[in-house]
Amino acid sequence: MVDLTPTEEQRHIQAAAADLLAARSREAGARAVRAEPAGYSAELWKEMTGLGWPGLALPEEYGGADGGFLELCLLFEELGRHQVPSPLLTTMACAALPIARHGSAAQRAQWLRAVAQGRTLSYVRAAPRGDWNATGSDVVAEPAGQGFRLHGTALFVPYAGTADALLVIARTGGPEELTALLVDNAPPGVRCERLDVVGNDPHYRVDFTAVTVPGERAVGAVGSGRTVAGTAAELGAAATCAEMAGGAQGVLDMTVGHARRREQFGRPIGSFQAVQHHCANMAVDVLGSRLGAYESIWRLSQGLPATMEVSLAKAWGSEAYQRVCALGHQVHGAIGFTYEHDLHFFHRHAVASALAFGDADHHIARVTRYLGL
């Protein structure tokens, strides 16, 4: 078992992130930015960029801090705990780090430096019709001169409306042949339409109509897009597990605070054994989610195989976070279901996160295949 005791530097990163997000949650939290066209606070993003968050896990030669994926996930955990929507996870886990691993020297020099300076990216995944069990891609890249011409429609693309570029996993041959392409988000032929989704992060339908992409925008070799997609999905799922663990911790903190303050029959409801049992069960799920998340994140940060660990963490965390929210509603009673209470933002986040990068059933099936069952 990996030792997950944080180092002094990791404690400092997490404490600094917690302090900043707690101070900014009122103007940059899910409730405050729900009507914002971008879906997040541009002011907070500038502040995060100034603090070096987008460059935390990038090499120093590109303007980064040369930290690791584990340190980056401490930020995701705090973003989940304080319910602050941000393009950080999509930009880093699903695009920048896959570019760092699979991109050319020119792509790394251009795009990683741009991300460290605050530009954002998004990821058009290879999940036709939003089904993670399906193969292929709904976006087709036809050869055109020295490059490609894109056609097709992608659904549920996070932060596509404001991203500077998209990492698109497109079909370039038969149904199984995929290629990763970096596509600017502003050329003629790219159209983004915001979708009405349950979660707090904005998602878009992206239509590509005869979009020209130069050949040097291919990330990795032509036809190797499945490898790039695998990296983006694995890092994205693990990062989402950290965010879910933070969200579950936020619900537990909120619920314990309510149980201490709310009085019934002349004493705090937290003194009743039934409420104590609910809070204890929530704590077990929070700790289990965090342990699973960081074991998989540590393996990924060390370059070790982590297919089974990521799926175990995602399957457990997806269900545990929703259980924590359900028990939180039980303790809060009717007030927890109202729009005026922040608990429902956590519940929205739990439902959306459970579906992101594959739901619990998808990952349990991956574990059984991995074990040969």
Side-chain angles (χ1 to χ4, degrees), residues 147-294:
F148 303 92
R149 185 173 293 116
L150 291 187
H151 299 274
T153 297
L155 298 175
F156 307 112
V157 183
Y159 294 97
T162 53
D164 294 294
L166 308 172
L167 180 62
V168 180
I169 308 299
R171 183 154 46 92
T172 47
E176 301 293 323
E177 182 181 306
L178 302 174
T179 298
L181 299 168
L182 266 168
V183 181
D184 287 330
N185 200 15
V190 177
R191 178 175 177 271
C192 297
E193 178 185 353
R194 187 162 176 173
L195 300 173
D196 187 13
V197 296
V198 67
N200 301 319
D201 295 320
H203 282 68
Y204 291 79
R205 167 191 170 122
V206 182
D207 293 310
F208 299 92
T209 306
V211 178
T212 301
V213 182
E216 62 266 24
R217 288 297 189 91
V219 178
V222 173
S224 68
R226 191 164 299 282
T227 302
V228 181
T231 299
E234 201 162 58
L235 294 177
T240 300
C241 288
E243 196 177 75
M244 289 193 298
Q249 182 68 59
V251 175
L252 177 59
D253 294 343
M254 178 187 299
T255 303
V256 170
H258 177 76
R260 285 173 173 162
R261 293 188 302 272
R262 177 80 167 91
E263 292 189 359
Q264 191 64 274
F265 306 115
R267 55 178 175 156
I269 62 171
S271 65
F272 296 112
Q273 193 172 43
V275 174
Q276 293 169 1
H277 283 174
H278 281 345
C279 292
N281 287 333
M282 293 166 72
V284 169
D285 269 336
V286 171
L287 291 173
S289 299
R290 193 169 192 277
L291 176 63
Y294 278 93

Side-chain angles (χ1 to χ4, degrees), residues 4-138:
L4 294 177
T5 305
T7 64
E8 183 175 348
E9 182 182 16
Q10 291 166 353
R11 283 196 294 270
H12 174 72
I13 291 171
Q14 190 157 31
D19 289 345
L20 174 69
L21 296 174
R24 301 289 185 276
S25 59
R26 183 176 295 275
E27 64 264 24
R31 182 185 298 279
V33 302
R34 191 151 184 82
E36 288 286 332
Y40 66 97
S41 167
E43 291 300 317
L44 180 59
W45 179 254
K46 288 179 184 176
E47 196 168 357
M48 291 162 60
T49 301
L51 293 170
W53 288 18
L56 179 60
L58 298 179
E60 289 184 10
E61 62 184 301
Y62 304 125
D66 213 16
F69 183 57
L70 193 152
E71 285 75 17
L72 182 63
C73 286
L74 296 173
L75 302 181
F76 300 142
E77 183 180 353
E78 291 305 315
L79 286 167
R81 183 178 180 183
H82 296 279
Q83 286 303 298
V84 175
S86 162
L88 185 67
L89 191 155
T90 301
T91 297
M92 290 304 303
C94 302
L97 293 180
I99 292 171
R101 185 176 300 182
H102 302 286
S104 65
Q107 289 168 347
R108 293 196 297 272
Q110 177 183 355
W111 292 100
L112 300 189
R113 189 173 297 281
V115 166
Q117 293 173 347
R119 295 185 71 182
T120 62
L121 306 175
S122 190
Y123 168 57
V124 177
R125 57 190 181 176
R129 299 173 298 282
D131 182 359
W132 284 92
N133 292 309
T135 59
S137 173
D138 284 339

